[in-house]
Amino acid sequence: MDGEEATQATPLNVLIVDDEPLTAQAHASYVDRLPGFRTVAVAGTASAALLAVRASAHGDTERIDVVLLDINMPDATGIDVARRLRAEGHDVDIIAVTAVREAATVKQAVSLGIAHYLLKPFTFQTFAEKLEALREYRAGLFDHVVSSQDEVDQTLASLRQSTPQASLPKGLTSETLASVISALRSLEAGTGISAKELSEQLALSRVTARRYLEHLVDTSAADRTPRYGTPGRPELEYRLA
């Protein structure tokens, strides 16, 4: 199994840090809707967040790969948490999820290596794009030695890219396209999905599912191949290119 396949096969474990229980619950539900991610812990304070990451690093609890970190908390700021984690040598990826818009705070977040700064309120589509970009970035660095400056630049650029959705044909929406891409990304290596299977999975009509799949093929984001072994004409199946 190569690095990218290993990354896709193993979900990224997420720690939600927010002092508002309903907000934390909402973020956890967003995470668990995304293939390849799962919520493993929720912390309501800065001190609880630090304890959770430390316990994970010591092997006392499940591994934590990503921290969704609120900035304003009762006992310390998210910036304080990030600074402490970096000082202790923890290399978990951090995404700030906050309503704080001060430029100084954003600058501090960048200096501490926070991968994304996601402003509340946001849509599920925006949330999904940030996490998918992070996963692509991690896949590019998984057990791999870069061979050129261009490869370094492309890997770093992948962290800032959003889900492909430019120039959508009439009748297609970026939110549904993101769901289709997530469904394709969740496939096991070497497998594909038919328009019928996708329509059932996403509650779309078969015609609509095929339109999205064909759009991805037309934009070279997906491949289309015949699926043999079924009665009648071969069924077409799709997978990410």
Side-chain angles (χ1 to χ4, degrees):
M1 178 181 292
D2 63 24
E4 185 173 356
E5 289 175 354
T7 303
Q8 292 177 346
T10 305
L12 295 179
N13 291 338
V14 180
L15 166 66
I16 309 290
V17 183
D18 201 294
D19 65 326
E20 293 289 342
L22 290 179
T23 301
Q25 182 180 356
H27 293 170
S29 68
Y30 271 14
V31 168
D32 295 333
R33 284 174 60 186
L34 290 173
F37 294 90
R38 67 187 186 111
T39 303
V40 294
V42 176
T45 63
S47 57
L50 290 170
L51 289 174
V53 174
R54 290 167 183 160
S56 167
H58 293 153
D60 298 331
T61 59
E62 288 194 83
R63 181 192 75 255
I64 293 174
D65 303 301
V66 182
V67 179
L68 297 187
L69 182 62
D70 191 15
I71 297 298
N72 287 334
M73 287 180 286
D75 54 339
T77 70
I79 296 297
D80 295 330
V81 172
R83 185 178 291 113
R84 181 69 64 84
L85 291 177
R86 296 309 184 221
E88 295 178 3
H90 300 292
D91 61 355
V92 293
D93 288 307
I94 302 173
I95 297 179
V97 183
T98 179
V100 177
R101 286 170 160 77
E102 282 76 9
T105 303
V106 177
K107 183 177 180 180
Q108 287 178 308
V110 172
S111 70
L112 291 168
I114 291 179
H116 286 296
Y117 196 97
L118 186 56
L119 286 172
K120 301 175 183 177
F122 48 81
T123 64
F124 174 72
Q125 176 192 341
T126 300
F127 181 89
E129 288 174 355
K130 300 304 183 186
L131 267 70
E132 291 292 352
L134 178 62
R135 184 168 65 172
E136 293 296 327
Y137 169 75
R138 290 175 61 99
L141 295 179
F142 187 93
D143 192 25
H144 179 63
V145 177
V146 294
S147 59
S148 66
Q149 181 63 51
D150 182 61
E151 189 172 356
V152 172
D153 294 341
Q154 290 181 15
T155 301
L156 292 176
S158 69
L159 188 58
R160 306 304 174 194
Q161 291 174 352
S162 296
T163 305
Q165 57 183 355
S167 304
L168 289 182
K170 185 177 179 179
L172 303 190
T173 68
S174 57
E175 183 174 6
T176 302
L177 180 61
S179 298
V180 171
I181 292 172
S182 292
L184 292 176
R185 283 182 175 149
S186 69
L187 296 173
E188 294 184 5
T191 65
I193 192 170
S194 68
K196 178 183 178 182
E197 292 164 343
L198 181 68
S199 69
E200 294 171 349
Q201 181 174 330
L202 299 183
L204 303 171
S205 71
R206 190 184 304 189
V207 171
T208 299
R210 182 174 293 109
R211 285 194 65 203
Y212 281 96
L213 291 168
E214 289 295 331
H215 170 70
L216 291 173
V217 171
D218 293 341
T219 56
S220 300
D223 294 326
R224 176 185 59 222
T225 55
R227 176 189 290 173
Y228 297 99
T230 56
R233 296 176 56 188
E235 192 171 19
L236 295 176
E237 65 177 20
Y238 303 80
R239 60 180 58 83
L240 288 180

